[in-house]
Amino acid sequence: WNIRKVNIQSQAVNLLLSGYTDSTSNPASMSVYSSVSNVIYFGTPSKIAKYNIATKSVEGYSQVNTGVANGTMTSKDGSITYDANNAYGNVCKPYDKVNDIVYFTESSTNKLRALFIKTNSIVTLAAANYPDTSGAVTISYPNSVTLDSTTNTLYVGTGYQNTATSGQHFIFKVTDPHDGSKRKFYKVTGTSGSYGSSDNGISSTFNAPTVTNVNGNILFIMDKTNGRLRRYNLTANTIDSVFTGSVTS
């Protein structure tokens, strides 16, 4: 497994880190770059790690707890020695450089969590149920998270492909995620527990939607099981497909 850098202008590709695996020997995935400290944060199946570009060293932030019953991983809050269960592939992009926070989701424990770099602590922001404006709403298998740095809002995609489980296949947002006294949750679009590919504003259907990034008032979504790249207009509550089908070289 490698971390590589692509220069968009020159199209040059450089290898930064090669052959990294975590303590379970599974490949790491999904990096996020912080130009403030010149490091890359990434998730693996058992930890959040960082790679220092200057020193070319890797440091684990949250480790596997091997002493729990049946040898399973737990998901505790607290110091950075507490573990992150299945952070694989779900580290937030971009990094919150204002508040020095790395947000990530844990699919197997149905959690949205935050790694506060300044205090070296991990905090759960949302678990299986979260307090939406309409009451407690179930979330299941959060698979991705992205940050709108302009409005300081997190967007989270949920769901596993072709699985009609409550709490899956919709997207929710978190305002002021860094501040527990102000933090609020709202549904954005999608139909919980029902998968499909319809374009119907806030009631649209997806099949394991993965949020990618926010550009202005547009949230881009990979509806990968449906083979579609979609965009959601956060102001008009409308959605359309940017791309449908397969890519040929």
Side-chain angles (χ1 to χ4, degrees):
W1 180 87
N2 301 325
I3 292 180
R4 309 176 80 178
K5 179 176 69 174
V6 179
N7 187 307
I8 302 300
Q9 292 182 336
S10 67
Q11 298 185 355
V13 180
N14 300 107
L15 181 64
L16 299 180
L17 175 64
S18 178
Y20 179 79
T21 57
D22 72 2
S23 57
T24 59
S25 298
N26 290 321
S29 183
M30 295 299 290
S31 62
V32 54
Y33 175 62
S34 167
S35 58
V36 177
S37 52
N38 203 33
V39 299
I40 294 174
Y41 296 97
F42 58 93
T44 81
S46 59
K47 68 175 67 131
I48 300 297
K50 75 174 182 179
Y51 173 66
N52 189 305
I53 297 175
T55 62
K56 298 181 180 180
S57 60
V58 177
E59 176 184 351
Y61 263 107
S62 56
Q63 308 293 331
V64 175
N65 183 345
T66 57
V68 297
N70 300 320
T72 58
M73 291 185 285
T74 60
S75 180
K76 301 175 182 178
D77 287 349
S79 70
I80 59 174
T81 58
Y82 286 14
D83 65 320
N85 186 3
N86 197 12
Y88 181 82
N90 301 322
V91 174
C92 181
K93 303 174 293 295
Y95 162 82
D96 184 353
K97 62 182 179 181
V98 175
N99 299 295
D100 212 12
I101 301 171
V102 176
Y103 297 102
F104 63 98
T105 62
E106 285 182 13
S107 299
S108 60
T109 60
N110 305 320
K111 290 182 178 181
L112 169 66
R113 308 180 79 189
L115 169 60
F116 288 79
I117 304 298
K118 292 179 181 178
T119 59
N120 287 335
S121 61
I122 294 176
V123 176
T124 296
L125 307 185
N129 292 285
Y130 73 94
D132 188 83
T133 53
S134 59
V137 177
T138 300
I139 58 172
S140 179
Y141 207 88
N143 60 46
S144 55
V145 55
T146 189
L147 174 68
D148 181 356
S149 301
T150 303
T151 62
N152 193 28
T153 301
L154 288 177
Y155 292 89
V156 183
T158 65
Y160 186 76
Q161 60 185 14
N162 301 324
T163 304
T165 301
S166 177
Q168 296 197 17
H169 310 298
F170 76 103
I171 295 166
F172 69 94
K173 71 178 181 179
V174 187
T175 59
D176 295 309
H178 69 289
D179 188 340
S181 65
K182 297 180 180 179
R183 189 182 305 135
K184 292 184 178 180
F185 303 82
Y186 305 88
K187 177 183 174 182
V188 177
T189 183
T191 304
S192 176
S194 176
Y195 60 87
S197 60
S198 65
D199 295 337
N200 190 27
I202 61 173
S203 299
S204 299
T205 54
F206 303 86
N207 197 334
T210 301
V211 295
T212 59
N213 68 294
V214 178
N215 186 358
N217 66 335
I218 302 297
L219 172 65
F220 287 93
I221 305 162
M222 290 192 299
D223 195 3
K224 55 186 178 181
T225 309
N226 288 321
R228 305 170 74 184
L229 173 61
R230 305 168 77 178
R231 58 185 175 188
Y232 187 82
N233 188 308
L234 298 167
T235 303
N237 288 326
T238 58
I239 189 168
D240 65 350
S241 295
V242 179
F243 176 83
T244 301
S246 58
V247 177
T248 57
S249 58

